[in-house]
Amino acid sequence: MFRKICNFLMGLLIVILLAVAGILIVPKLVGYQSLAVLSGSMEPEISVGSIVFIKEEDPSQLKKGDVITYRLSGDTRVTHRIVEIHKEDQTILTKGDANENMDGSPVPFQNVEGKVQFHVPYLGYISIYIKTPVGIAAGCGILILIILLNFLPDIICGEENKNRDKGEKV
């Protein structure tokens, strides 16, 4: 019975890890870029801790209401909704759903990284924290737990079998 419980828990952990890995890796293989959402400017539609998956799109094909990700400066990216498109200036005005005012400056077409295709709530927390020392320790802890769940039944049941065999021979 103990062996069955350990095998079930180990299988469950592996399935969860494979599902998370699949959600994070497969979209990248088919051309999506994934980014974790760090602020609540797009709530309630896209909450903090979500992962957004964006696909590169020609800015001239975008329309009002699309949610885009653009480069603000350096490595800073923003995901907001298009309010207006000025094709003659090649700029876009954006606004976060939770913000009362539009963003301060127009976004040049060349800063648009892509259009948000879909998002997965809470998964961003994993991608953010797995890179920290605590996240690395948690990942190692999960691997150790899987190893323990694999070998623990043999250790415990092996000791019980040895004790039972000794008791029967006496």
Side-chain angles (χ1 to χ4, degrees):
M1 181 67 171
F2 181 70
R3 181 180 305 277
K4 286 182 182 180
I5 293 170
C6 287
N7 286 340
F8 173 77
L9 291 174
M10 182 176 62
L12 184 64
L13 275 173
I14 290 172
V15 167
I16 290 170
L17 289 175
L18 287 175
V20 169
I23 291 170
L24 291 174
I25 294 171
V26 170
K28 286 186 180 193
L29 296 175
V30 294
Y32 290 95
Q33 182 181 1
S34 63
L35 300 167
V37 176
L38 302 175
S39 78
S41 66
M42 285 300 292
E43 289 187 339
E45 185 175 332
I46 304 173
S47 58
V48 175
S50 295
I51 274 197
V52 292
F53 291 90
I54 62 172
K55 188 125 182 165
E56 192 174 314
E57 189 161 328
D58 181 8
S60 63
Q61 299 300 311
L62 296 170
K63 58 187 181 299
K64 181 179 176 181
D66 286 343
V67 178
I68 62 166
T69 296
Y70 62 92
R71 187 171 300 281
L72 190 60
S73 64
D75 286 340
T76 305
R77 295 183 189 123
V78 177
T79 299
H80 279 173
R81 190 173 304 280
I82 295 175
V83 177
E84 293 178 28
I85 299 175
H86 297 224
K87 292 192 180 194
E88 60 282 348
D89 298 341
Q90 291 199 333
T91 59
I92 298 172
L93 296 177
T94 58
K95 176 184 169 300
D97 289 355
N99 300 344
E100 290 190 21
N101 300 317
M102 289 195 308
D103 296 340
S105 57
V107 178
F109 275 15
Q110 65 265 22
N111 287 15
V112 175
E113 295 211 351
K115 179 180 172 183
V116 173
Q117 302 297 315
F118 62 97
H119 68 280
V120 179
Y122 307 112
L123 199 55
Y125 288 123
I126 293 172
S127 74
I128 292 168
Y129 293 117
I130 197 68
K131 299 170 190 166
T132 67
V134 172
I136 292 169
C140 291
I142 290 171
L143 290 176
I144 290 169
L145 182 60
I146 289 173
I147 292 168
L148 282 174
L149 287 171
N150 188 37
F151 292 111
L152 201 57
D154 291 336
I155 294 168
I156 291 175
C157 293
E159 290 296 320
E160 288 176 2
N161 289 341
K162 284 181 187 177
N163 291 339
R164 196 174 332 133
D165 289 344
K166 285 181 183 176
E168 290 175 1
K169 291 180 183 178
V170 175

